[in-house]
């Protein structure tokens, strides 16, 4: 009788808990969405930065011309005179997502513009990513940890920096795809269901569509599989989780034009195939082991090992020879710079010139993940007790992503979800321990309610582990998966009841802490959380919401808005011929094509180094030579960004050294030392004559001295070297 | 086909001015055609219409104009020079036409009531790029039959740019003057020469023999100031030509007439002299001239400085969306262009900002839009985002929105932008006695002193409204469209009104009447509510159903 009472009570509690967690998730979604709206409120609903403008333009094309034209789109507005095949060189996931959203909304007669949809795609997907985090962490460590991790992810600054409203970039949807793929992988690993394995492949496909970072998945999952095999955790669930992913995933990935045969040809994918072979060998071995008697098995092992080693070494030798014959060893430049952090700065200045490809500094870790950095180790420890397949995967994930984020600032984004999950686990475990010990020691609380508390947080975790264990036993018994599911559910119900009454009291007594210390610790944890929230809101509001296309400055008489970028683009779009070519440094290429709708020479898709070097050379050449280069490119307008008057630091003069370096990489007559005086970059009277005579200098400082009479550059903090000069070949 | 030798002579360049001033009728051939002969419509090129828009003629004209600027005293004769010897062949045709026309004037005057204008005063206001002409006519009926219509004539070059013609009859003396607006309609007078177009003013009561009436006429011309030189640099100021006739073109005999032309600045480069003519400051005076025959014409050119913003909206689409939930949403899409002298050479921001009085004087930085009072949620943006340079001033009478385009507009430069705002519905939507609702809204462009080449007003009625009809005080093109907005099922009726060449004087209210059943107001909320209801029902059903195959 008591048992049945307990059962109904726990059912009720479960229903209540489900509703509660549903509402918490809903609120987390709202939080994730709204914290990213600072940019819209403070500035306006506009696309940010550079790359998003390209994505926006592609989306516009997609919504206007349809999907088939999109695949065949040859864009003649960029890379003049080469042009660019957009359909085959772009990751279409983001544009297709936004295009589909727009289409759905419009077919419901909700007339939102493409721009609005694009602006709000990133916040929407970050809310979804928070939910995906909940699912993933729930698979690893239970509901409590899941909710905490989702809340942390909803406002982690690193992710906010890439997904504020208007930051319409691949990462916005890719992080969701990444987490969701991992979730489905873990889910498959925990359940062994083929349905989830298929879904996993589809999620992987979406990730491949969205971001080049998909190689992270296709390397991390094989690593985990290998880890499981090595540590003797092989199971048929692992096989189901991995084999369909590789087969289906690779097939689907090669459907994406930008990936195509790269999915089987390049070294980034090599690890997955190797592990694919290994897992089959292991599966075979386990199968044979099941058939044969232990003695016979030993014989077979020695036999197979002997033959297998020979074959393997031969195959590996051939592979190594093939890979080594190609100059980059089959790796793309960006991946190589990941493996060897010094690679890019040595060989490819164009990758090194992008600020987000630089290694991060320690403050940027604190800025981007804040207190999570301290919680991560605790989370790792929590993952080890007890270590399951899922938690070992999380450990692997955090370790690799910490390495990658150490190489490139940009990959901090991959670290952020892992850090959130780890911290979520750590926080919820800590809360769990403290609250339980408080509850235990509080006088006047009946035994019954103590059980409730234990069940609501830790109970589910324990249940989870138990489920995993039961699964394993079931596997060894070789039951059919469909039956297993049913049985598992029933078992879970039963276990919930049992555990509530039997297991938790034992555990509780083990983990009891003194009342005072646990109360203080709880307060400290809450304080820590509060710090995190304050920091995140500050980062979202102040640091990451500036759209970079509109600049503001505060002065004594209020807020000043510098809208010069758009002024220039609007002028170009309305008052120049449709076919005019505009030359600028590649940073502004995307914006010029998107906002001014004019043909540019180079843009942010830096696929042709020589072409960029040509523009770099022109900018760093004397006027006449530059004029000839531009003439040969049919250039009619040269766009130069100069911030010396208002104090805008990221203008072309500050980027100029990269132009020299990239130009010099292809055209040897441009030498970097010519532009430096004693190894220093200066523009004042001490500057070298080459510097003072180059086109960039002249265009930037043309008639600059007339503004204040002295020619004082507020960015560089110096007076310029050469003041009165005339442009002979260019008109302002 | 009558080609008069005398006419041939007239188009020779070295022609005397005196001869030109003579009325066309006088010069007409004396051949008489049978009465009732219908005048064929010729492709007429008048020798006097200087704004012939063939490239050749503009070229010649500019050559001639440059000579006008060089020579001081001789300029009158030069300016009077018949323009195009090259167009001679066309002119031959035109004179044939004139021959017929002048003939028909005679025949026509026989049948229609004999009117004459006792006194005519014309004031031409050239201060902005919209030319306003105030004409005061004192008309007397000298014929036998009572006259119910009075005709105004315009040369073909002006007709194309004529935006609006208003007329009013005045009664009483100076102190107690009262105006009675009269209907003005374009008509085809069969006897009008050289493609001159006529407008008829319908009098309220026919003018009896011997009686006289005073009429006040206002007509507005757009695009009639022609910049010369065509291109100017940043530091130059803008000079324009104005072409007209010193003598009022009229189908009637005018006994006494004077013309005053007010220019925007005292800097007048040159003007055609038709004695007696005079200039004092910003005012030019032509006349008084006595006893001019009908259809007399004497071309004049005024070349003067005009640095007013030549703001022309090439296309304006105003969308007025009515929501019966209490708001009126207006969206206006502008395609603005500076229609003055084209900008030449470089643009130096430095000079523009440091010496605003010398640099870029003909350019304009901001425009003023007058919006209705109680305006709210105003936005000003273009396709790449918000334009941060605007100011809104509101008071109880009106709201003023000062907008700056992203860059100062120089001659020939273009800009596009969108202005949108919300208005309280109760100020604009009323119920007529017969139970219909009507919207009372202002036609025209809210920007001050701009010409709109093509204005489209779209009144989006709420979903479910029926029988729309628009009442506009002047002729517009109307049609009905359907648009779909938030969660519409059947779509909203859109009344589209189109008009070309709109000037600020068109800012008069118009009405759109329609039937509306208030039940449609709750249709969409109900729809949403039911969708959610069914969604939850579906969820509940799903949760309570066991759909697994295996038990």
């Amino acid at each position: 009788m008591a048992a049945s009472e307990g059962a109904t009570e726990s059912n009720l509690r479960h229903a209540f808990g489900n509703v509660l967690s549903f509402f918490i998730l809903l609120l987390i979604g709202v939080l994730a969405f709204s914290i990213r709206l600072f940019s819209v409120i403070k500035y306006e609903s506009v696309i940010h930065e550079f790359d998003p403008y390209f994505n926006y333009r592609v989306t516009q094309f997609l919504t206007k011309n349809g999907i088939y034209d999109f695949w065949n789109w040859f864009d003649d507005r960029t890379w003049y005179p080469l042009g660019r095949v957009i359909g085959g060189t772009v990751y279409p996931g983001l544009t297709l997502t936004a295009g589909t959203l727009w289409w759905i909304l419009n077919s419901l007669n909700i007339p939102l513009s493409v721009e609005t949809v694009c602006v709000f795609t990133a916040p929407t997907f970050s809310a979804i990513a928070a939910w995906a985090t909940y699912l993933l962490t729930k698979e690893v460590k239970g509901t409590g940890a899941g909710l905490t991790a989702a809340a942390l992810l909803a406002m982690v600054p690193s992710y906010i920096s890439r997904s504020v409203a208007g930051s319409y970039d691949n990462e916005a949807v890719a992080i969701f795809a990444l987490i969701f793929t991992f979730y489905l992988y873990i889910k498959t690993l925990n359940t062994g269901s083929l349905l989830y394995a298929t879904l996993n492949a589809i999620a992987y496909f979406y990730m491949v569509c969205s971001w080049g970072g998909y190689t992270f998945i296709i390397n991390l999952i094989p690593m985990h599989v290998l880890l499981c095999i090595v540590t003797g955790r092989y199971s048929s669930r692992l096989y189901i989780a991995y084999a369909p992913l590789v087969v289906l995933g690779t097939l689907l990935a090669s459907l994406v034009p930008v990936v195509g045969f790269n999915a089987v040809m390049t070294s980034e994918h090599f690890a997955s195939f190797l592990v694919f072979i290994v897992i089959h060998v292991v599966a075979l071995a386990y199968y044979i082991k099941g058939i044969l008697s232990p003695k016979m098995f030993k014989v077979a092992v020695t036999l197979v090992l002997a033959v297998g080693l020979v074959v393997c070494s031969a195959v590996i030798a051939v592979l190594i020879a093939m890979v080594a014959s190609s100059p980059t060893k089959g790796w793309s430049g960006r991946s190589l710079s990941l493996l060897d952090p010094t690679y890019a700065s040595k060989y490819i200045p164009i990758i090194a010139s992008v600020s987000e490809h630089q290694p991060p500094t320690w403050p940027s870790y604190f800025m981007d993940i804040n207190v999570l950095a301290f919680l991560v180790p605790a989370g790792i420890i929590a993952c080890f007790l007890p270590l399951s397949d899922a938690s070992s995967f999380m450990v692997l994930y955090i370790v690799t992503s910490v390495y990658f984020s150490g190489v490139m600032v940009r990959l901090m984004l991959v670290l952020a979800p892992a850090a959130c999950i780890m911290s979520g686990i750590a926080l919820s475990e800590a809360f769990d321990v403290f609250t339980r010990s408080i509850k235990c020691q509080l006088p006047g609380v009946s035994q019954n309610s103590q059980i409730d508390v234990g069940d609501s947080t830790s109970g589910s975790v324990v249940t989870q582990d138990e489920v995993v264990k039961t699964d394993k036993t079931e596997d060894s018994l070789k039951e059919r998966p469909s039956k297993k599911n049913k049985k598992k559910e029933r078992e879970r119900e039963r276990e919930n009841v049992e555990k509530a009454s039997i297991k938790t009291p034992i555990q509780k007594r083990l983990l009891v802490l003194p009342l005072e210390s646990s109360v203080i610790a709880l307060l400290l944890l809450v304080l820590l959380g509060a710090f995190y929230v304050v920091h995140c809101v500050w980062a979202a509001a102040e640091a990451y919401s500036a759209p970079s296309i509109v600049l503001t400055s505060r002065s004594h008489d209020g807020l000043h808005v510098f809208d010069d970028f758009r002024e220039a683009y609007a002028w170009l779009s309305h008052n120049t011929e449709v076919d005019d070519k505009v030359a600028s440094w590649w940073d502004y290429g995307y914006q010029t094509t998107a906002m001014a709708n004019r043909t540019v020479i180079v843009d942010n898709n830096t696929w042709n180094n020589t072409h960029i070097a040509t523009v770099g050379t022109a900018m760093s050449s004397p006027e006449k030579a530059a004029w000839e280069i531009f003439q040969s490119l049919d250039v009619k307008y040269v766009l130069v960004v100069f911030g010396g008057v208002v104090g805008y630091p990221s203008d072309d003069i500050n980027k100029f050294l990269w132009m020299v370096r990239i130009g010099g990489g292809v055209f040897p007559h441009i030498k970097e030392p010519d532009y430096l005086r004693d190894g220093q970059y200066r523009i004042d009277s001490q500057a070298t004559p080459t510097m003072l005579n180059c086109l960039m200098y002249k265009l930037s400082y043309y008639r600059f001295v007339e503004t204040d009479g002295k020619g004082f550059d507020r960015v560089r903090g110096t007076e310029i070297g050469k003041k009165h000069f005339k442009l002979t070949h260019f008109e302002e | 086909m009558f080609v008069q030798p005398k006419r041939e002579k007239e188009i020779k360049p070295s022609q005397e001015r005196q001869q030109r001033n003579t009325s066309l009728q006088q010069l007409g051939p004396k051949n008489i055609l049978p009465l009732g002969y219908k005048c064929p419509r010729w492709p007429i090129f008048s020798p006097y219409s200087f704004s012939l828009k063939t490239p050749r003629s503009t070229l010649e004209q500019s050559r001639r104009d440059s000579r006008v600027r060089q020579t001081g005293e001789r300029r009158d004769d030069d300016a009077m020079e018949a323009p195009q010897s090259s167009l001679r062949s066309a002119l031959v045709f035109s004179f044939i036409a004139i021959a017929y026309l002048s003939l028909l004037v005679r025949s026509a005057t026989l049948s229609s009531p004999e009117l004459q204008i006792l006194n005519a005063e014309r004031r031409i206001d050239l201060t902005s790029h919209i030319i306003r002409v105030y004409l005061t006519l004192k008309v007397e009926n000298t014929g036998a039959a009572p006259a119910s219509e009075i005709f105004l004539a315009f040369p073909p070059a002006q007709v194309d740019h004529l935006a609006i013609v208003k007329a009013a009859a005045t009664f009483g003396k100076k102190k107690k003057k009262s105006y009675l607006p009269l209907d003005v309609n374009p008509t085809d007078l069969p006897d009008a020469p050289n493609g001159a177009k006529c407008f008829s003013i319908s009098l309220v009561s026919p003018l009896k023999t011997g009686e006289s009436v005073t009429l006040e006429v206002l007509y507005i011309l757009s695009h009639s100031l022609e910049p010369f030189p065509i291109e100017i640099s940043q530091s130059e100021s803008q000079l324009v030509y104005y072409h007209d006739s010193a003598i009022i073109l009229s189908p009637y005999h005018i006994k006494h007439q004077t013309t005053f032309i007010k220019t925007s600045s005292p800097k007048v480069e040159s003007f055609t002299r038709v004695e007696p003519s005079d200039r004092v400051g910003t005012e030019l005076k032509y006349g008084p001239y006595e006893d001019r025959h009908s259809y007399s014409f004497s071309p004049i050119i005024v070349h003067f400085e005009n640095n007013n913003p030549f703001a022309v909206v090439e296309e304006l689409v105003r969308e007025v969306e009515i929501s019966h939930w209490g708001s009126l949403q207006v969206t206006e899409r502008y395609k603005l262009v500076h229609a003055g002298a084209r900008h030449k050479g470089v643009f130096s921001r430095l000079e523009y900002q440091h010496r605003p009085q010398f640099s870029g004087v003909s350019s304009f930085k901001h425009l003023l839009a007058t919006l209705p009072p109680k305006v709210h949620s105003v936005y000003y943006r273009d396709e790449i985002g918000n334009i941060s340079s605007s100011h809104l001033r509101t008071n109880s009478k009106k709201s003023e929105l000062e907008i700056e385009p992203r860059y100062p507009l120089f001659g020939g430069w273009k800009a596009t932008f969108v202005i949108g705002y919300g208005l309280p519905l109760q100020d604009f939507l009323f119920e007529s006695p017969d139970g219909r609702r009507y919207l009372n809204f202002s036609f025209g462009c809210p920007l001050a002193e701009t010409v709109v080449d093509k204005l489209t007003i779209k009144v989006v009625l709420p979903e479910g409204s029926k029988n729309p009809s628009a009442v506009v005080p002047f002729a517009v093109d109307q049609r009905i469209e359907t648009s779909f907005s938030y969660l519409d099922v059947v779509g909203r009726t859109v009344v589209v009104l189109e008009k070309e060449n709109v000037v600020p004087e068109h800012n008069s209210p118009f009405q759109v009447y329609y039937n509306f059943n208030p039940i449609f107001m709750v249709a969409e909320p109900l729809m949403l509510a039911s969708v959610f209801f069914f969604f939850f029902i579906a969820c509940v059903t799903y949760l309570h159903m066991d759909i697994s195959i295996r038990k």
Side-chain angles (χ1 to χ4, degrees), chain A residues 67 74 102 113 168 236 260 290 313 359 485 530 562 640 682 701 720:
Chain A
I67 181 86
F74 176 78
W102 181 83
S113 69
Y168 178 57
S236 56
S313 54
N485 268 347
F562 298 105
V640 173
R682 51 198 312 172
Y701 292 110
I720 57 168

Side-chain angles (χ1 to χ4, degrees), chain A residues 271-287:
Chain A
S272 63
F273 299 123
L274 195 71
V275 174
F276 187 65
I277 296 168
V278 169
I279 200 170
H280 276 95
V281 170
V282 173
L284 191 70
Y286 271 82
Y287 179 68

Side-chain angles (χ1 to χ4, degrees), chain A residues 442-717:
Chain A
L442 274 184
V445 180
S446 72
Q447 184 69 20
N448 220 354
S449 70
Q450 279 174 23
I451 294 166
D452 296 355
V453 176
D455 193 53
S456 64
T457 48
S458 73
S460 53
V461 178
V462 177
T463 316
Q464 201 63 47
D465 293 341
E466 208 57 36
V467 171
V468 172
K469 273 176 208 156
T470 47
D471 280 357
K472 271 183 201 160
T473 54
E474 277 165 355
D475 279 333
S476 56
L477 288 172
K478 297 223 157 52
E479 280 195 3
R480 283 193 313 211
S482 59
K483 202 170 182 181
K484 194 173 66 192
N485 268 347
K486 270 281 157 191
K487 195 174 176 184
K488 192 185 69 198
E489 264 173 39
R490 248 176 278 140
E491 223 164 341
R492 185 180 285 166
E493 299 251 321
R494 203 181 59 228
E495 270 165 3
N496 280 340
V497 184
E498 283 176 2
K499 221 125 299 146
S501 51
I502 305 159
K503 279 221 166 176
T504 40
I506 305 164
Q507 279 204 339
K508 259 185 286 171
R509 242 155 261 153
L510 286 174
L511 293 168
V512 163
L513 289 170
L515 181 66
E516 293 79 17
S517 59
S518 46
V519 168
I520 290 169
L522 265 186
L523 283 177
L524 285 177
L525 275 184
V526 169
L527 207 64
L528 195 68
F531 268 129
Y532 175 73
V533 171
V534 168
H535 173 80
C536 289
V537 172
W538 172 82
E542 297 294 328
Y544 291 133
S545 284
S548 94
I549 190 81
V550 188
L551 312 167
T552 54
S553 75
R554 281 172 204 285
S555 68
H556 54 90
D557 56 342
L559 198 70
H560 280 266
V561 180
F562 298 105
D563 209 357
D564 292 0
F565 275 111
R566 284 194 296 187
E567 181 179 329
Y569 293 133
W571 187 86
L572 277 174
S573 97
H574 289 122
N575 300 309
T576 57
E577 297 290 318
V578 182
D579 286 330
D580 285 350
K581 279 79 187 172
V582 180
S584 65
W585 190 233
W586 57 262
D587 298 21
Y588 313 106
Y590 277 163
Q591 291 183 349
T592 312
T593 41
M595 281 198 270
N597 194 19
R598 291 291 171 270
T599 309
V600 295
I601 306 296
V602 291
D603 69 21
N604 307 41
N605 175 266
T606 51
W607 63 273
N608 187 332
N609 196 22
T610 320
H611 218 54
I612 292 177
T614 312
V615 175
T617 312
M619 292 290 188
S620 44
S621 302
E623 217 179 312
K624 182 144 178 30
W627 188 81
E628 274 159 13
I629 293 173
F630 281 144
Q631 197 64 22
S632 72
L633 290 170
D634 284 357
V635 169
K636 218 166 157 193
Y637 297 90
V638 179
L639 181 90
V640 173
V641 176
F642 175 65
V645 183
V646 294
Y648 171 61
S650 54
D651 64 353
D652 278 352
I653 290 284
N654 276 6
K655 290 171 183 166
F656 181 61
L657 265 194
W658 286 110
M659 300 184 203
V660 174
R661 267 175 219 163
I662 292 169
V666 176
F667 302 98
H669 68 274
I670 305 290
K671 294 186 193 68
E672 195 180 331
D674 288 350
Y675 296 87
L676 302 173
R677 171 74 71 189
D678 306 328
Q680 279 190 320
Y681 180 61
R682 51 198 312 172
I683 45 130
D684 52 10
S685 49
Q686 296 287 308
T688 57
T690 327
M691 175 75 207
L692 294 180
N693 282 320
C694 71
L695 177 70
M696 176 53 71
Y697 187 88
K698 283 195 166 183
L699 288 183
S700 292
Y701 292 110
Y702 176 62
R703 300 183 74 179
F704 180 56
V705 71
E706 290 170 41
T707 52
D708 59 355
K710 279 200 315 235
F712 184 77
D713 190 328
R714 283 174 60 184
V715 176
R716 265 64 61 176

Side-chain angles (χ1 to χ4, degrees), chain B residues 173-433:
Chain B
K173 290 287 174 198
K174 275 190 179 173
K175 284 275 170 67
K176 294 178 203 163
K177 226 175 203 176
S178 61
Y179 293 95
L180 182 70
L182 300 172
D183 277 351
V184 183
N185 292 305
T187 44
D188 270 330
L189 265 197
D191 58 344
N194 287 358
K197 280 284 274 188
C198 287
F199 283 77
S200 74
I201 302 171
S202 320
L203 296 176
V204 179
S205 54
L207 197 62
K208 292 190 188 95
T209 312
E211 279 184 356
S212 69
V213 66
T214 311
L215 295 176
E216 295 264 357
V217 178
L218 163 70
Y219 62 90
I220 291 170
L221 301 167
S222 62
H223 296 289
S224 294
L225 293 180
E226 184 191 339
F228 186 86
I230 299 167
E231 286 192 331
I232 55 168
S233 70
Q234 192 179 344
S235 54
E236 288 174 287
S237 69
Q238 176 174 273
L239 299 169
V240 291
Y241 277 144
Y242 174 66
H243 303 275
D244 205 340
S245 161
I247 298 160
I248 300 166
L249 188 71
S250 168
Y252 309 114
H253 182 89
I254 304 177
K255 280 196 145 176
H256 182 88
Q257 62 175 311
T258 332
T259 295
F260 299 95
I261 299 179
K262 194 169 174 244
T263 59
S264 55
S265 79
K267 211 178 146 197
V268 177
E269 287 280 304
S270 68
F271 64 97
T272 313
R273 286 191 183 273
V274 181
E275 296 304 333
S277 54
D278 192 18
R279 178 169 90 94
V280 181
T282 60
E283 197 173 72
L284 297 170
K285 186 181 174 192
Y286 283 95
Y289 306 113
E290 308 288 339
D291 281 326
R292 299 291 162 159
H293 288 278
S294 56
Y295 295 117
S296 299
F297 197 83
S298 163
I300 55 166
I301 299 176
V302 186
H303 192 199
F304 64 103
E305 184 189 67
N306 190 338
N307 280 325
N308 278 301
F310 276 44
V312 173
V313 181
E314 284 184 329
E315 204 180 333
L316 168 60
V317 180
R318 302 181 79 194
E319 206 175 284
V320 184
E321 196 171 330
I322 302 169
S323 160
H324 276 255
W325 290 96
S327 95
L328 196 69
Q329 191 62 40
V330 185
T331 318
E332 297 169 351
R333 292 163 210 285
Y334 292 85
K335 266 188 199 164
L336 188 72
V337 68
H338 187 299
R342 293 182 59 80
H343 181 64
K344 181 175 71 182
V346 301
F347 162 61
S348 169
R349 162 82 54 175
L350 188 69
E351 235 161 62
Y352 185 76
Q353 286 189 336
H354 278 235
R355 295 187 296 158
Q357 63 273 36
F358 301 113
S359 174
V361 277
S362 68
S363 71
F364 55 93
K365 256 172 93 172
H366 48 77
L367 294 161
L368 195 71
T370 312
L371 306 178
K374 290 198 232 163
V375 68
H376 63 87
S377 3
V378 182
Y379 61 87
Y380 168 50
R381 52 173 291 144
D382 63 2
E383 59 265 39
I384 57 174
N386 176 46
I387 306 172
S388 49
S389 43
S390 59
H391 305 280
L392 180 70
R393 288 182 288 269
T394 49
N395 59 30
S396 59
K397 292 259 170 57
K398 63 179 176 188
S399 312
E400 280 186 339
L401 177 68
E402 192 184 290
I403 54 175
E404 283 181 31
R406 288 192 187 274
Y407 38 85
L409 281 176
F410 280 83
W413 288 12
K414 292 176 183 175
T416 58
F417 54 87
V418 180
I419 300 176
Y421 46 91
L423 292 167
L425 192 69
Q426 66 269 23
D427 294 3
F428 297 94
L429 196 76
F430 306 97
E431 199 164 347
S432 64

